[in-house]
């Protein structure tokens, strides 16, 4: 029978949650990490990582395998379960899971973020040419034309990745300059398969059974045109996976959890780490830092409860 | 190969999936797909727990383009539940075990 009371419950198994779990397990806290699907989060859909120190280059799934392996060394329990609701207000936090209810003295929320969707009636094309994951779906577009949307690191890096398969990548961006790291911009501009579509937004997707074309609108001239293509990949930012926790916690304007430098939220005993919080940078390297700080802060909080 | 999960190819699709006596859960996957690799343990658990009532099969889309093409699969993992040759449910992307179990329960009664 699974336990029902813990010192610390960590929700979310991306880099922030796994790092918090690593530190908590080494502190010998009675801890559990709850992961809805499988550990990894957004890293699982990241093709190649070359800005995580210690690895000159590593695939997302390989990095996650190593992180999970490392937590096993210290016996961190990782449970596949979904949090349905939480009552965080009291000294003892109650968490309703898919199959049981548990309590905890402290909670670290590390549920991350998900791709923002454009809201142009795109849902029916998901898995039928529309994708948010180049490493999952890129190889379906060998020698095909694809349209990508966005201007940040993810959009540019994944567009470059797609040129391994696609014969042509149109990168649509709403401004006339990219936000992505300069080194990624240089690679994109040098890549003969990538054509920039500046000052433009995606205004619709056309096709019967699947994507046959993407409509783009120039925000300066108002002109709309269709780019015939078979694939469309969208990376226009992220939204916090806040669902079950939102109502009780102080959030910023975009819906991310407000924390102080100790990862403390507006509720005592509740901490947030990684992409879910109002951080100026969302990287694996910042998420693991958050996770470590949150675990130590949670440990101090639990110790103070005793005294 | 894990216990209870059969790898099938385009040649065997009709016999193994469409003409199967039991309902079938098919996982379209490929070796380069991180999320496919990540959900593999979930499918293994399901095979252990429900393998007597539903057949679990995997189809490598790199080696077998015909079957995924027929069902418009352009993203993986795509999981399809077949019952008597008809699609009962189709799930694109990573999925929690609980949700997959709900899909299966619709056809295993």
């Amino acid at each position: 029978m699974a336990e029902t009371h813990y010192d610390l419950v960590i929700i979310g198994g991306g880099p922030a949650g796994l790092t918090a779990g690593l530190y908590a397990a080494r502190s010998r806290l009675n801890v559990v990490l709850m992961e809805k699907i499988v550990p990894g989060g957004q890293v699982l859909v990241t093709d190649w990582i070359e800005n995580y120190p210690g690895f000159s280059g590593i695939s997302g799934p390989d990095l996650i395998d190593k992180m999970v392996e490392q937590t096993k060394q210290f016996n961190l329990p990782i449970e596949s379960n979904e949090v349905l609701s939480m009552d965080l207000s009291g000294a003892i936090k109650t968490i309703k899971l898919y199959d049981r209810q548990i309590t905890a003295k402290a909670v670290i929320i590390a549920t991350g973020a998900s791709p923002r969707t454009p809201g142009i009636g795109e849902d029916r094309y998901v898995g039928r040419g529309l994708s948010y994951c180049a490493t999952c779906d890129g190889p379906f577009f060998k020698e095909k034309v694809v349209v990508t949307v966005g201007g940040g690191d993810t959009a540019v890096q994944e567009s470059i990745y797609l040129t391994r398969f696609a014969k042509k990548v149109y990168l649509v961006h709403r401004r006339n300059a990219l936000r992505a790291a300069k080194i990624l911009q240089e690679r994109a501009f040098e890549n003969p398969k990538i054509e920039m579509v500046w000052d433009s937004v995606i205004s619709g997707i056309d096709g019967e059974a699947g994507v046959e074309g993407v409509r783009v609108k120039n925000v300066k001239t108002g002109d709309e045109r269709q780019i015939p293509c078979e694939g469309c990949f969208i990376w226009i930012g992220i939204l916090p996976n806040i669902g079950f926790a939102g109502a009780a916690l102080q959030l910023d304007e975009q819906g991310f959890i407000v924390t102080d430098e100790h990862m403390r939220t507006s509720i005592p005993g509740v901490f947030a780490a990684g992409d879910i919080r109002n951080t100026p940078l969302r990287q694996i390297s910042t998420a693991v830092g958050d996770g470590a700080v949150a675990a130590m802060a949670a440990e101090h909080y639990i110790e103070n409860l005793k005294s | 190969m894990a216990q209870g999960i059969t790898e099938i190819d385009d040649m065997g699709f009709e016999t193994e999936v469409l003409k199967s006596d039991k309902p079938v859960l098919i996982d379209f996957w490929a070796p380069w797909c991180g999320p496919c690799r990540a959900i593999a343990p979930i499918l293994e658990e399901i095979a252990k727990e429900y393998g007597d009532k539903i057949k679990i099969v995997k189809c490598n889309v790199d080696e077998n383009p015909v079957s995924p093409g027929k069902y418009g699969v352009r993203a993986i993992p795509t999981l399809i539940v077949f019952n008597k040759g008809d699609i009962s449910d189709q799930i694109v992307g990573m999925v929690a075990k609980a949700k997959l179990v709900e899909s299966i329960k619709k056809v295993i009664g």
Side-chain angles (χ1 to χ4, degrees), chain A residues 36-39 41 44-45 59 61-62 65 80 82 98 126-131 133-142 161 209-212 229-231, chain B residues 28-30 32-42 45 61-62 68-69 71-78 90 92-99 101-102:
Chain A
K36 189 167 70 165
I37 304 178
V38 288
L44 276 184
V45 299
S59 80
D62 284 344
D65 277 353
S80 177
E82 186 173 0
Y98 187 77
V126 172
R128 294 181 169 83
L130 173 64
S131 173
C133 176
T135 57
C136 309
D137 309 329
F140 284 100
F141 300 95
K142 282 179 191 128
Y161 174 77
V211 174
E212 289 166 19
C229 63
E230 280 170 83
Chain B
F28 290 103
W29 74 289
W32 37 260
C33 160
C36 297
R37 199 165 104 189
I39 64 160
I42 295 179
E45 283 175 28
V61 300
D62 269 354
Y71 293 95
V73 174
R74 272 196 262 174
I76 53 172
T78 287
Q90 183 157 350
V92 179
M94 289 210 293
V95 59
K97 185 184 168 190
K99 196 176 165 212
V101 169
E102 276 173 23

Side-chain angles (χ1 to χ4, degrees), chain A residues 3-11 16-34 76-77 91-93 95 102-110 269-272 291-303 305:
Chain A
E3 282 200 55
T4 56
H5 185 73
Y6 298 90
D7 289 333
L8 174 63
V9 173
I10 299 165
I11 305 167
L18 289 170
T19 308
L22 176 69
Y23 276 72
R26 283 170 60 87
S27 296
R28 302 286 187 229
L29 291 180
N30 177 16
V31 59
V32 67
L33 188 154
M34 294 295 169
L76 171 72
I92 298 292
K93 322 294 181 192
I95 299 160
I102 59 171
T103 57
K105 292 172 185 165
V107 174
I108 296 176
I109 302 171
V270 180
F271 304 81
V293 172
M296 296 318 288
E299 188 186 354
H300 289 151
Y301 171 84
I302 292 163
E303 274 172 9
L305 285 180

Side-chain angles (χ1 to χ4, degrees), chain A:
Chain A
M1 185 62 201
E3 282 200 55
T4 56
H5 185 73
Y6 298 90
D7 289 333
L8 174 63
V9 173
I10 299 165
I11 305 167
L18 289 170
T19 308
L22 176 69
Y23 276 72
R26 283 170 60 87
S27 296
R28 302 286 187 229
L29 291 180
N30 177 16
V31 59
V32 67
L33 188 154
M34 294 295 169
E35 163 56 45
K36 189 167 70 165
I37 304 178
V38 288
Q42 295 173 97
V43 181
L44 276 184
V45 299
T46 308
D47 157 49
W48 197 242
I49 296 153
E50 53 184 26
N51 56 4
Y52 188 67
F55 297 91
S56 53
I58 186 166
S59 80
D62 284 344
L63 181 59
I64 287 298
D65 277 353
K66 285 177 185 291
M67 287 187 183
V68 170
E69 204 51 47
Q70 196 172 355
T71 67
K72 284 187 179 152
Q73 213 177 309
F74 302 102
N75 301 314
L76 171 72
I78 299 179
E79 192 176 317
S80 177
N81 213 324
E82 186 173 0
V83 175
L84 300 180
S85 64
M86 297 198 289
D87 181 0
L88 301 172
S89 51
I92 298 292
K93 322 294 181 192
T94 309
I95 299 160
K96 193 165 182 289
L97 300 171
Y98 187 77
D99 61 349
R100 71 184 200 280
Q101 187 163 300
I102 59 171
T103 57
K105 292 172 185 165
V107 174
I108 296 176
I109 302 171
T111 46
S114 301
R116 178 190 290 276
T117 53
I120 47 162
E122 69 280 354
D123 281 358
R124 60 179 283 240
Y125 294 104
V126 172
R128 294 181 169 83
L130 173 64
S131 173
Y132 301 90
C133 176
T135 57
C136 309
D137 309 329
F140 284 100
F141 300 95
K142 282 179 191 128
E143 292 305 308
K144 307 266 166 68
V145 176
V146 303
V147 170
T148 60
V149 186
D153 280 353
T154 305
V156 176
Q157 163 124 20
E158 302 298 298
S159 295
I160 295 166
Y161 174 77
L162 284 172
T163 62
R164 291 190 206 177
F165 313 102
K167 66 177 177 190
K168 178 92 189 175
V169 175
Y170 291 95
L171 175 50
V172 176
H173 184 47
R174 65 195 153 98
R175 286 195 293 258
N176 63 359
L178 297 171
R179 262 185 305 114
K182 285 287 182 297
I183 187 164
L184 295 175
Q185 295 194 25
E186 287 162 16
R187 288 178 195 164
F189 295 149
E190 281 164 12
N191 193 311
K193 285 185 175 178
I194 296 180
E195 182 173 329
M196 297 302 308
V197 183
W198 297 116
D199 298 315
S200 298
V201 294
I202 180 169
S203 52
I205 298 177
D206 298 321
E208 283 303 314
V211 174
E212 289 166 19
V214 165
R215 272 174 282 135
V216 295
K217 188 177 176 183
N218 187 302
V219 292
K220 288 196 171 149
T221 64
D223 291 344
E224 195 178 45
R225 68 172 168 126
Q226 193 211 49
I227 303 174
C229 63
E230 280 170 83
C232 178
F233 291 75
I234 299 178
W235 297 286
I236 52 171
I238 53 170
L239 292 172
N241 297 329
I242 192 76
F244 54 81
L249 294 160
Q250 188 193 341
L251 308 177
D252 73 6
E253 283 164 8
Q254 280 85 42
F256 293 91
I257 300 173
V258 175
T259 68
D260 66 8
E261 68 202 57
H262 298 283
M263 309 299 143
R264 291 184 289 217
T265 69
S266 56
I267 299 178
V270 180
F271 304 81
D275 284 3
I276 189 73
R277 76 176 191 97
N278 63 332
T279 171
L281 186 63
R282 292 190 171 86
Q283 294 285 301
I284 302 168
S285 53
T286 56
V288 302
D290 280 7
V293 172
M296 296 318 288
E299 188 186 354
H300 289 151
Y301 171 84
I302 292 163
E303 274 172 9
N304 285 334
L305 285 180
K306 289 174 190 159
S307 58

Side-chain angles (χ1 to χ4, degrees), chain B residues 49-80:
Chain B
E49 291 165 30
Y50 299 94
D52 55 333
K53 293 181 184 139
I54 188 165
K55 187 178 353 175
I56 318 276
V57 300
K58 297 178 75 163
C59 179
N60 181 326
V61 300
D62 269 354
E63 291 162 6
N64 303 287
V66 178
S67 310
K70 197 172 150 194
Y71 293 95
V73 174
R74 272 196 262 174
I76 53 172
T78 287
L79 300 159
I80 305 181

